[in-house]
Amino acid sequence: MKRTEFQRPKSGQTSTTNKTGASPLQMKPSMLALQQQIGNQAVLQLMGPKKRALQQVDYSEEESEDEEVTGDQATKKQRNTLSTSSSKPVPQPPANDVEEESDDSEQEESPEWEVKRPSFTTASKRAAFASTNRDPGYPVKIGDYRKPGLVEMNGAMPHRMSYNDIRNNALKLRDGKETSTDFNRWTDRFITAGKEKIDKRKQEQVGDASDKELKQLITDMETSQKMFISARDKLASNPKDNAVFEAFIKQANSFHANVPDVGPHFGVNNPVQENAHMHVETVEEPQTKSMDTGEEESEEMTDKAPKPPKLTRRLSIMSSQVRRMSIGRISAFPYDAKGNLITTDGSTVNMDDLPKEDREAIGQHPKKTVKGYDSNFKFGNQ
């Protein structure tokens, strides 16, 4: 909604030194301006109770096939009605799609050229939903990617490297604070993780060539990979081109390895979304008595049943690449009040449970205690 201000009189129309004096009509704004201003204030008052609803539910299910409505688009007019003379800071708009601004996050200074947050691409959504459906650990199945019903499931597509960190690091290249070599170095980690995830999916095709969902998933991942590499290379060569910059931001925000699945939104993704958000896997490692003692197995040992596999916690493919980022590329890693790392599925992990290399790498980055974290908000709750 556009703000209407009082029209200032043109030079020569009114003056405090005019001997004849100004008429009452000259000293007052037009009736049309007054009516418009009063109307704007009334609309702001009516929109007040709806502000939180706009911040909480930004995932549009009435989207087009290629893109969905973003929170930025939904609230742009509302933000423009705020008075610039107010002493209070202007609230930041909610983020796009299924992620929003953290209630306890600090406001950062906006760059001179505001980068509008893009919506997720069709390929990224379809791939994330398919990956979630193929994981037996998730309690629900997501239907049509055009209308996934994520709001009812408390679902979101959590970034491993946050959108804010992606944008801010890309701005360093655009503003001349870093070179294309620096830019290629950190974006290479995206490409490495993406290739590894694609290769892993292709291994699932063995003996299951008729799986149409898997074929589509691999196609979407490969599409995202190619689009990201192309956009990355163009920006490295043309960092001052705003259109090229925005094209890169769109592909990076939707990169398949960085938003590969769905997790709980409220209580988890919403308050964490400005920070690096790690996915932690539990893997089984076989073990025998000889592995523990360093001695060869005796006949007595071989007669006994093998020991159960050892459960090990470790970072997933993209998470491992994100924790390798240089100091300063990641704003912070999120922790709960007990000092445990908050993961994308809503659970927390004691840092001592992670391998030494993960602990040491994460420990070098800033740490943030997320006050809004609440483990009671699960993905799939109806």
Side-chain angles (χ1 to χ4, degrees):
M1 183 179 296
K2 186 175 181 181
R3 188 182 72 250
T4 303
E5 299 179 352
F6 290 145
Q7 297 180 353
R8 295 184 179 181
K10 295 182 179 179
S11 175
Q13 283 185 328
T14 60
S15 172
T16 56
T17 60
N18 192 328
K19 294 181 180 180
T20 58
S23 67
L25 290 177
Q26 288 176 317
M27 296 298 293
K28 295 181 181 180
S30 68
M31 290 301 294
L32 176 61
L34 283 172
Q35 290 174 352
Q36 289 176 330
Q37 185 180 26
I38 293 171
N40 288 345
Q41 293 174 347
V43 171
L44 280 175
Q45 293 176 353
L46 290 173
M47 291 183 68
K50 299 180 181 179
K51 181 179 179 182
R52 182 165 181 80
L54 281 172
Q55 290 177 334
Q56 289 181 340
V57 182
D58 281 328
Y59 193 96
S60 171
E61 295 191 3
E62 299 298 328
E63 65 205 30
S64 66
E65 183 169 345
D66 291 326
E67 293 185 358
E68 59 196 65
V69 178
T70 67
D72 287 341
Q73 295 169 337
T75 57
K76 182 176 180 181
K77 292 186 178 180
Q78 179 184 354
R79 298 201 320 273
N80 288 341
T81 60
L82 296 174
S83 173
T84 56
S85 62
S86 174
S87 59
K88 296 182 180 181
V90 178
Q92 297 296 318
N96 78 315
D97 301 332
V98 292
E99 295 188 294
E100 299 141 15
E101 184 117 2
S102 171
D103 292 337
D104 62 332
S105 63
E106 297 179 358
Q107 282 189 341
E108 62 179 54
E109 295 182 2
S110 299
E112 293 181 2
W113 171 59
E114 183 179 356
V115 184
K116 186 176 180 180
R117 182 169 183 173
S119 59
F120 288 126
T121 63
T122 294
S124 68
K125 291 183 290 184
R126 191 162 51 201
F129 302 158
S131 295
T132 302
N133 287 341
R134 298 181 69 85
D135 190 329
Y138 284 102
V140 294
K141 297 297 181 183
I142 301 174
D144 189 343
Y145 71 90
R146 299 178 188 86
K147 294 185 178 182
L150 293 189
V151 173
E152 292 78 10
M153 300 177 191
N154 188 35
M157 290 167 58
H159 290 72
R160 276 42 171 175
M161 183 173 182
S162 73
Y163 167 76
N164 281 350
D165 286 340
I166 291 172
R167 177 202 61 196
N168 292 340
N169 281 293
L171 282 172
K172 292 177 183 178
L173 172 67
R174 188 189 74 92
D175 296 339
K177 297 178 181 179
E178 289 190 346
T179 66
S180 347
T181 301
D182 299 322
F183 175 69
N184 287 338
R185 185 181 302 112
W186 72 265
T187 52
D188 275 345
R189 296 191 174 103
F190 275 60
I191 296 171
T192 298
K195 184 179 184 304
E196 187 175 344
K197 289 186 73 69
I198 291 172
D199 291 342
K200 187 175 180 180
R201 284 297 183 188
K202 286 183 176 180
Q203 293 175 4
E204 297 179 24
Q205 286 186 313
V206 178
D208 196 8
S210 62
D211 191 335
K212 293 182 179 179
E213 183 184 56
L214 178 58
K215 288 182 178 180
Q216 182 64 61
L217 171 58
I218 293 173
T219 297
D220 287 335
M221 294 169 73
E222 290 178 331
T223 297
S224 177
Q225 187 88 358
K226 292 176 183 177
M227 296 294 287
F228 176 85
I229 293 174
S230 175
R232 191 279 293 261
D233 292 346
K234 288 179 181 178
L235 182 59
S237 302
N238 305 279
K240 298 295 184 181
D241 190 317
N242 286 350
V244 172
F245 186 95
E246 291 175 352
F248 168 77
I249 290 296
K250 182 175 184 64
Q251 296 304 321
N253 181 63
S254 294
F255 187 61
H256 71 97
N258 201 42
V259 283
D261 51 21
V262 177
H265 179 47
F266 293 113
V268 182
N269 181 63
N270 185 33
V272 170
Q273 60 128 345
E274 290 188 352
N275 309 122
H277 207 174
M278 300 291 93
H279 179 57
V280 178
E281 301 172 326
T282 301
V283 296
E284 295 182 351
E285 295 182 354
Q287 59 178 341
T288 63
K289 192 68 175 179
S290 59
M291 291 175 61
D292 295 336
T293 63
E295 300 175 356
E296 293 185 4
E297 294 183 353
S298 64
E299 292 183 5
E300 182 179 353
M301 292 178 181
T302 56
D303 290 339
K304 295 181 179 179
K307 295 184 65 175
K310 179 182 178 181
L311 299 181
T312 301
R313 307 301 302 276
R314 70 180 184 190
L315 298 180
S316 62
I317 293 174
M318 185 64 189
S319 298
S320 295
Q321 292 296 328
V322 172
R323 64 89 164 154
R324 293 181 60 238
M325 294 288 178
S326 302
I327 308 306
R329 296 226 179 271
I330 301 299
S331 55
F333 277 79
Y335 297 80
D336 68 359
K338 297 180 180 179
N340 296 318
L341 188 70
I342 301 173
T343 71
T344 57
D345 64 12
S347 63
T348 59
V349 175
N350 189 304
M351 292 297 292
D352 292 337
D353 293 338
L354 294 176
K356 180 180 179 181
E357 60 268 25
D358 289 340
R359 295 198 308 269
E360 292 179 347
I362 293 175
Q364 295 180 48
H365 294 279
K367 176 179 179 179
K368 179 180 180 180
T369 300
V370 179
K371 298 178 181 178
Y373 166 70
D374 188 344
S375 61
N376 291 324
F377 286 92
K378 303 294 185 181
F379 169 58
N381 282 359
Q382 301 295 326

